[in-house]
Amino acid sequence: MDSVMKRNKLLERDEFDRFLGALQLLEVACGLMLSSQHEKSRMAIILLHSLAERLMFSEVIEKFDSDVSLSRVSVPNYTAQFRKKVLRYFDEKVDFCRNTAELISDADATIFKILNFYRNAAYHRDSHNPNVISSIARISFHATLRLFERTAGNSSVSIWGLSEEQSSSLTPFCQVENFIDYEKAAKEAAQKLGEKVAAFPSDIRSSFVADIKGRLAKLERMKTETLYCKTASDLDEIFKKSAFELKGIEDDLSLELKQLNYRITGQVSGAVPSWDEYQAAEQKYIEKMKAAYDSFIPEVTAATLDLISDKVQLLEGSATLEAALSLYLQLDQSLVEVEVLAFHAERRIDLAVQLQLDIERGK
């Protein structure tokens, strides 16, 4: 059976439980955002990302299941590879729900991609930017509310026979007794929750601009103070070295030399290599590394910083919020690429300086 069908087990929870669970998550995220603490906005972003992905997953897999079933008698609309990609990646679900399912607007699609970008930084690297994380949490909250409203009422299902406990659990969000119209309840709950949090903070555009400008200023200071770059060429070389190291090319090219080292230390079987054999392998490694480095073309250069600086003016003058969101996402992603290389280079230089100081001290 197709893997898509197997993953349908994730949706085996009762429909009412999924509906109530989504509302409870939105309520928790709302409470977190109303705090002035950046760390709580970070937690809200992680919760909202999880809920948005679940809501999109439900819609996506329903369409895929239907397509797989109909493939017995007609040509399927989606290949197995496409289904796998959409189910695996958040941004692919966003594109599918925008372009195919038509559940989210272009603006909300951009917001969800910003949410995904920041959630990954917060969840996987335990980092977040206090300058904008509150604004991003708030706009993500309202985008998720809109997605919840569209998906919860999509089938216009009505259920009779709610227990008293079920009815009372929904009281904070919407009015029901022993009957629930999911479409109506979703709209009422979304409106009620949405009123607690400003949809678009008045300073969101200026916070985006301040965020980019502040990070650019920090990188400018790093260029001279910790990276010791006097010219654009110096910075290009720094970025190239960092990108080359982070690419992991050295790991592949040094495999033969490492095997000899393992034989020397007895970690793998084999005779200890002769001095000539080891020198030949080392020279071969050096030549391959030089050739690989000389031919390596980094994606980030000093010109990347100039390009980001130029586009900040476009961000300041963007005519609509949708344009500002889209441009901020582009600038933020590009700037993160620069920051990763710069911080890696800074750590490498610090280690080299410390090693030199230890040598001079006779350690």
Side-chain angles (χ1 to χ4, degrees):
M1 180 63 69
D2 191 281
S3 61
V4 174
M5 305 295 287
K6 293 178 182 177
R7 292 191 61 176
N8 215 0
K9 292 180 179 179
L10 297 175
L11 304 179
E12 286 180 353
R13 286 181 65 196
D14 177 79
E15 185 171 10
F16 178 87
D17 291 338
R18 295 204 306 269
F19 184 80
L20 177 61
L23 286 174
Q24 290 171 336
L25 275 179
L26 286 165
E27 184 180 38
V28 172
C30 179
L32 291 169
M33 286 182 295
L34 293 176
S35 167
S36 59
Q37 298 178 28
H38 300 308
E39 185 63 26
K40 289 190 176 181
S41 290
R42 169 189 177 275
M43 293 166 65
I45 277 180
I46 293 172
L47 280 178
L48 291 169
H49 182 279
S50 174
L51 177 56
E53 184 156 36
R54 282 162 48 187
L55 293 173
M56 289 189 291
F57 177 86
S58 298
E59 297 299 318
V60 168
I61 202 168
E62 183 178 336
K63 288 190 178 295
F64 285 172
D65 283 350
S66 175
D67 193 54
V68 169
S69 297
L70 291 175
S71 68
R72 301 174 187 275
V73 294
S74 61
V75 178
N77 294 312
Y78 316 109
T79 65
Q81 184 178 9
F82 176 79
R83 291 194 298 267
K84 182 178 180 181
K85 183 175 68 171
V86 172
L87 290 172
R88 181 175 182 181
Y89 297 109
F90 185 91
D91 281 358
E92 295 292 338
K93 292 186 189 70
V94 171
D95 289 337
F96 186 90
C97 288
R98 176 184 57 183
N99 301 325
T100 303
E102 298 182 344
L103 285 169
I104 55 180
S105 65
D106 289 345
D108 281 354
T110 302
I111 290 172
F112 281 131
K113 289 185 178 183
I114 292 174
L115 169 65
N116 187 43
F117 194 63
Y118 266 80
R119 177 266 182 190
N120 288 340
Y123 187 82
H124 292 296
R125 299 187 291 278
D126 194 26
S127 63
H128 63 271
N129 189 339
N131 294 328
V132 294
I133 198 164
S134 175
S135 294
I136 290 172
R138 287 170 179 262
I139 61 176
S140 298
F141 176 71
H142 281 273
T144 306
L145 271 181
R146 289 187 287 272
L147 177 62
F148 166 74
E149 185 178 341
R150 294 288 300 275
T151 55
N154 242 2
S155 58
S156 299
V157 174
S158 300
I159 300 295
W160 288 93
L162 291 182
S163 67
E164 184 177 342
E165 181 182 357
Q166 288 176 319
S167 298
S168 62
S169 65
L170 288 176
T171 301
F173 312 105
C174 52
Q175 294 300 314
V176 296
E177 293 182 2
N178 67 333
F179 164 81
I180 179 173
D181 179 328
Y182 281 111
E183 183 174 13
K184 182 179 177 182
K187 288 180 179 179
E188 184 181 344
Q191 181 179 355
K192 200 168 186 177
L193 286 167
E195 290 172 352
K196 297 181 180 182
V197 179
F200 294 105
S202 58
D203 62 343
I204 187 169
R205 194 189 310 265
S206 60
S207 70
F208 284 165
V209 172
D211 172 47
I212 299 297
K213 284 186 173 180
R215 290 157 66 189
L216 284 171
K218 183 176 181 179
L219 287 167
E220 285 296 325
R221 291 193 298 271
M222 286 179 65
K223 280 165 57 175
T224 55
E225 294 175 6
T226 59
L227 300 181
Y228 309 105
C229 296
K230 296 181 179 179
T231 66
S233 296
D234 292 338
L235 189 59
D236 281 341
E237 189 64 19
I238 285 285
F239 284 159
K240 181 175 180 178
K241 286 181 179 178
S242 291
F244 186 80
E245 290 174 5
L246 291 172
K247 200 81 171 178
I249 297 173
E250 186 271 343
D251 290 337
D252 294 330
L253 298 183
S254 63
L255 186 60
E256 183 179 346
L257 192 62
K258 286 178 180 177
Q259 288 299 317
L260 295 182
N261 288 329
Y262 299 154
R263 282 162 55 186
I264 292 173
T265 58
Q267 296 181 58
V268 299
S269 60
V272 174
S274 66
W275 177 244
D276 288 343
E277 182 184 0
Y278 190 87
Q279 277 195 314
E282 187 174 45
Q283 184 60 36
K284 184 179 179 181
Y285 161 71
I286 292 172
E287 291 172 356
K288 287 195 296 186
M289 278 287 289
K290 184 179 184 306
Y293 184 78
D294 289 344
S295 62
F296 181 70
I297 301 176
E299 295 179 1
V300 173
T301 66
T304 306
L305 276 177
D306 296 333
L307 184 61
I308 294 173
S309 297
D310 292 340
K311 286 190 175 182
V312 173
Q313 295 180 348
L314 296 177
L315 180 59
E316 288 180 297
S318 50
T320 64
L321 180 60
E322 288 80 0
L325 289 169
S326 181
L327 185 54
Y328 176 74
L329 176 60
Q330 296 174 31
L331 294 178
D332 191 27
Q333 290 176 330
S334 295
L335 199 49
V336 166
E337 292 178 0
V338 176
E339 289 167 336
V340 167
L341 298 182
F343 294 144
H344 176 78
E346 185 179 53
R347 289 192 296 271
R348 184 169 52 79
I349 291 171
D350 284 345
L351 287 173
V353 170
Q354 188 59 53
L355 178 60
Q356 184 60 37
L357 290 175
D358 289 345
I359 292 174
E360 291 176 359
R361 292 179 186 140
K363 288 187 178 180

